[in-house]
Every structure is written in C-alpha cells, then in structure tokens.
Amino acid sequence: MRVLEVKNLNKSIKNQVILDNISFNVESNSITALIGENGAGKTTTIKCIVGLYTYNFGDIIISGVNSKNIDSHYKFGYIPEKENFPNTPANIFLSESAKLYGISSNEIDEKIKYYSNLFGITEKMDLRLTKMSSGQRKKIMVMQAFFHEADLYIMDEPTENLDPQNRQIFYDELLKLKEQGKSILVSTHNLDEIAKYVDNVVIIGNGKVTYTGQVNKNHDLAGMYYEFKKSGNVNVFHSSHSNDQSNELLKRYDDLLQKKLITRDEYKSLVKNFAKE
C-alpha cells in the first residue's frame, strides 16, 4: 500500500524551474531516504508535500487524500529542517500542538513525560523555546512529530544538532514506528548513519528524480551514491561488493577525490565504511 504518491510535481519561481516532473512513492511499513546535493530540491519537495509551498502542477496523495485537501494534514507527522518557534514554554507548545490532532489531555501528559525522559530534557520542559539550545529545540520538534500517531512521518534533517546518544535514541524510535506499520520519508546528508535503516532511496539532482528504488541494507550507501553520481549505473544500489570490487571502488573514490568531485572528509567516510565491513 502506498502512503505517499508524488506525481509529476513541478514548481517554478520567476521562470526558473525548481522541481522538474518529480515522481516517487513511499510504501507502507518502510523507511525511504530522500538524498541529493545541497540545492537539489529535497527541502522544496518536502515543503510542497506538507503544504508549506505551492506548486505549479502535479499531484500529491497522502494516505489516499490529495495534499490540497486540509484533511491530508492530519495524515502525517513532520519534522522541518529549521524550526520557527513561538516564545512559549516547551510543554505548552507541545500540549497545544497535540490538541490540534485531537489527542486527549491525559495522553498528552503521558507523551510529554515519556519523550522528555527518553531524550533527557524533563527538567527543561518549562523553559521557553527561544531559551533552549539548538539541540534541545530539535528534540522538541522530534517529540511533536512523534506525538501524532500518523501513517506517515516526513523528516528533513531530523538528527541535525543531536548528539550521538540522542541520534541513536531517535533511530530506535524510528524502528519502533516501522514495526507498528508506519512509514518514514527522511531527507538527510548523513548517509553513513541512515544506511542500516533505509529500505528505499529517492535521489534528486537539479530538481529531477534521478533514481528511486530499493537498496541493500548495511552497505555503503554513501559510496553507492557517489558511484551512481559518477557512473549513472543504478545497479550499484543492488549488488554486494566482493573485496576485489571494494578495492576497485576505493580506487574510483581516489579518482573522485583527485578530481575534487568529493571532499576529503567524504573520502575518509567512504574508507571508514569499507574498513567496517
């Protein structure tokens, strides 16, 4: 079953094409990574899906409801890349947000207690959001999304500003959602981090979908992505690599580094991943 269908999505601003015929699906009970370079169109796509941006034409269907129908907004939880908080205490913000989705007061109290303890910010819940650190505010955004028991969760760089411990807590909760039959669309640059959780990937480049499909878990997603960028060969997402193949890929990454197509930090990350296997 498809919980999200994006069909021929197009968006232009002042005659500049931002999204060019974007199409992809998110299946139920799955984690899909939306990946691409900075400026590729990932956040714009997400904002069109959640209704924050208008678009020129195309269709977005969320759990069978067109995104232009206000009822579709009750079908998903959302973590934006950047927050825009009111100057209110965190517990009040979460409580009022949860009420919009019809969550009872008792259940709201239980969720605040559970998630604030889980993310280690129980003592911070009376703080105004504008007084919180960036990491604490990110936890509040994650909590707000998790409060809503939706079929689909849409996340734009959800682990940004989270420390390693809380990143792991976040992914543990993500797996719990999947076990409950939920679906997640997550946009991230942390390919090493998401690799062991993701079922499918959607790659966007220059406002176009260049690949969509399944990937092998626990493999070098970052390496596969850079290889795909270089060769355009979709098979890199499906094949397991032997040692000889891995060595060959590393030689190619050396070549990418020499040609300055990847940064030294990206190269080190690729080498680190192969060392783990």
Side-chain angles (χ1 to χ4, degrees):
M1 176 182 174
R2 293 173 177 172
V3 295
L4 174 65
E5 298 174 73
V6 179
K7 304 176 181 179
N8 306 315
L9 184 65
N10 284 262
K11 179 176 178 61
S12 299
I13 299 177
K14 295 182 179 179
N15 296 322
Q16 179 182 359
V17 177
I18 308 300
L19 301 179
D20 187 1
N21 214 37
I22 296 286
S23 294
F24 65 89
N25 303 313
V26 174
E27 303 294 334
S28 60
N29 191 32
S30 69
I31 299 176
T32 299
L34 182 65
I35 60 180
E37 300 173 340
N38 290 330
K42 303 184 302 298
T43 294
T44 300
T45 298
I46 285 177
K47 287 187 174 182
C48 286
I49 293 170
V50 302
L52 293 176
Y53 281 177
T54 59
Y55 49 92
N56 298 89
F57 58 90
D59 288 300
I60 300 169
I61 310 298
I62 304 171
S63 292
V65 181
N66 193 291
S67 65
K68 293 181 180 179
N69 185 330
I70 192 67
D71 290 342
S72 69
H73 294 185
Y74 296 94
K75 301 289 186 180
F76 62 85
Y78 172 50
I79 302 175
E81 180 183 17
K82 297 179 181 179
E83 74 278 352
N84 185 19
F85 283 130
N87 188 28
T88 57
N91 54 1
I92 299 299
F93 170 77
L94 287 171
S95 179
E96 294 301 314
S97 298
K99 288 177 182 177
L100 295 175
Y101 294 104
I103 303 175
S104 69
S105 296
N106 288 339
E107 191 175 359
I108 290 171
D109 292 340
E110 291 174 2
K111 287 178 181 291
I112 289 177
K113 182 178 180 180
Y114 171 77
Y115 284 111
S116 62
N117 180 65
L118 183 69
F119 286 108
I121 55 171
T122 300
E123 296 179 357
K124 305 292 184 180
M125 296 306 294
D126 289 330
L127 278 179
R128 292 184 179 275
L129 293 163
T130 52
K131 299 297 183 181
M132 285 184 154
S133 69
S134 59
Q136 291 166 348
R137 290 196 298 270
K138 177 62 76 171
K139 292 175 184 179
I140 297 300
M141 293 307 302
V142 171
M143 289 168 64
Q144 181 195 32
F146 285 171
F147 274 24
H148 183 32
E149 296 181 2
D151 295 327
L152 172 67
Y153 294 84
I154 302 169
M155 307 176 175
D156 196 353
E157 297 291 349
T159 59
E160 186 178 5
N161 296 324
L162 292 182
D163 58 58
Q165 179 181 348
N166 280 286
R167 284 173 182 250
Q168 188 57 57
I169 290 172
F170 168 82
Y171 283 113
D172 289 344
E173 290 299 302
L174 219 59
L175 289 178
K176 289 180 183 178
L177 290 175
K178 184 185 174 185
E179 289 171 1
Q180 296 168 14
K182 311 298 186 181
S183 298
I184 297 97
L185 174 65
V186 54
S187 174
T188 181
H189 290 294
N190 294 316
L191 304 188
D192 300 336
E193 191 175 78
I194 196 71
K196 59 184 173 182
Y197 305 104
V198 67
D199 302 296
N200 308 288
V201 297
V202 177
I203 299 179
I204 294 182
N206 296 319
K208 298 180 179 181
V209 170
T210 56
Y211 174 78
T212 177
Q214 295 181 329
V215 293
N216 287 331
K217 288 186 179 179
N218 295 315
H219 281 276
D220 179 19
L221 182 58
M224 289 187 287
Y225 169 63
Y226 291 122
E227 177 66 13
F228 171 72
K229 280 178 59 181
K230 178 184 177 184
S231 68
N233 182 4
V234 300
N235 290 326
V236 300
F237 295 106
H238 304 295
S239 59
S240 335
H241 302 305
S242 66
N243 288 335
D244 288 342
Q245 289 172 322
S246 295
N247 290 333
E248 179 62 28
L249 284 177
L250 285 175
K251 290 179 181 178
R252 295 181 185 179
Y253 300 148
D254 283 330
D255 183 53
L256 290 173
L257 179 63
Q258 293 299 320
K259 294 180 179 178
K260 298 182 179 180
L261 296 176
I262 60 175
T263 67
R264 183 162 294 279
D265 286 342
E266 289 171 335
Y267 174 80
K268 289 179 180 178
S269 177
L270 298 175
V271 173
K272 181 180 177 182
N273 281 338
F274 276 110
K276 289 178 180 178
E277 294 183 350

